Amino acid sequence: MGKNKLKKFAEMETLERVYQYPFSSLRDGEGCPLRGRWGKEVFGNDNPITLELGCGKGEYAVGMGRLYPDRNFIGIDIKGARMWTGARQINAEGLNNVAFLRTSIHLLPEFFAPGEVAEIWITFPDPQMKKVNKRLTGTHFLDIYRKVLAPGGVINLKTDSPFLFAYTRGMAEHNSLPLVGLSEDLAVNPLAELVPPITTYYEQQWLSRGIPSKYIGWRLPADAQLTEPDLDIEPDTYRSFGRGTLQGF
């Protein structure tokens, strides 16, 4: 591990509203003391809680915290070196309605009580074209999300990937999940009442190359049985930055 990462990890331990729990504490039954108490203990209020999953540097969580002071936001990622950027920002700006949690998305029920989360944002995830169980909008993860979401809570996907957008739309239609909004190109149909005007560094790189940002949001019933759709979707003709060689440009 590089010295720069070690330095970031050390600084993360000193920043407020940054939480890192070793897996051993969950395995040994200690659990997360904030489970069911994030509003009271971390934010000092009972405002709705929104999670940004796979938050990376936390640009979206920080941006939403600035725009919506009457809501609470928690950025979640397994990679602390990325999260360090957003964690420093909220401390520097005194954004008391934003926090960061370093953990695996699979462990969400260990950190949040049933119904504790009002909304989830998934921004520009890896589309996982070959592995459906790794898609953050797949039914495997939806079953995890509804263990912490309030009944009828909203899940939002913003993506550059035509594959993931088509898959998620088909999954929602197949399971009769109520849509709250859909846009194949947010530059043309911005859905301003649903989608915050936040453009991440990663997103801007694709926009500059003519790849539009897409959005789909839906409500997740608490008890409906979810099944995977039988879909034949054309794979993306490019790879995301940092994940391989660009194709098609």
Side-chain angles (χ1 to χ4, degrees), residues 19-219:
Y19 302 91
Q20 304 181 82
Y21 288 90
F23 178 74
S24 59
S25 67
L26 302 177
R27 180 195 60 203
D28 297 339
E30 298 176 27
C32 174
L34 294 174
R35 186 175 186 268
R37 302 174 62 83
W38 285 87
K40 180 179 179 180
E41 298 293 336
V42 175
F43 302 111
N45 59 54
D46 58 358
N47 293 339
I49 293 175
T50 295
L51 306 182
E52 184 197 0
L53 304 182
C55 69
K57 295 180 179 180
E59 292 168 275
Y60 225 77
V62 172
M64 289 191 292
R66 293 170 179 152
L67 290 170
Y68 309 113
D70 58 344
R71 298 182 69 91
N72 300 321
F73 301 92
I74 304 174
I76 297 176
D77 206 301
I78 195 65
K79 296 186 178 180
R82 293 179 182 175
M83 193 184 299
W84 170 85
T85 301
R88 293 190 79 216
Q89 281 184 301
I90 64 171
N91 278 264
E93 297 181 26
L95 278 176
N96 296 325
N97 64 330
V98 183
F100 286 95
L101 171 64
R102 185 185 177 196
T103 190
S104 166
I105 294 172
H106 285 96
L107 297 177
L108 288 181
E110 302 286 345
F111 292 93
F112 300 95
E116 190 171 8
V117 175
E119 186 177 29
I120 288 174
W121 272 90
I122 306 169
T123 53
F124 302 96
D126 187 324
Q128 296 289 348
M129 290 182 282
K130 295 182 179 180
K131 299 178 180 179
V132 64
N133 279 349
K134 289 191 174 184
R135 290 176 204 155
L136 294 186
T137 59
T139 58
H140 170 73
F141 278 100
L142 295 188
D143 281 332
I144 294 174
Y145 304 156
R146 62 182 176 184
K147 293 179 180 179
V148 303
L149 268 178
V154 176
I155 300 178
N156 307 276
L157 170 70
K158 193 176 182 185
T159 182
D160 61 283
S161 167
F163 176 91
L164 186 61
F165 180 79
Y167 163 78
T168 304
R169 185 175 186 175
M171 180 279 304
E173 291 174 351
H174 174 71
N175 289 286
S176 300
L177 302 180
L179 295 186
V180 298
L182 182 145
S183 175
E184 296 184 11
D185 186 344
L186 286 168
V188 176
N189 181 22
L191 300 178
E193 72 283 5
L194 295 173
V195 183
I198 302 168
T199 303
T200 66
Y201 175 77
Y202 173 89
E203 178 182 7
Q204 185 56 52
Q205 296 198 59
W206 287 126
L207 291 174
S208 69
R209 288 162 172 80
I211 303 295
S213 295
K214 307 156 190 61
Y215 168 84
I216 180 170
W218 66 96
R219 296 191 181 276

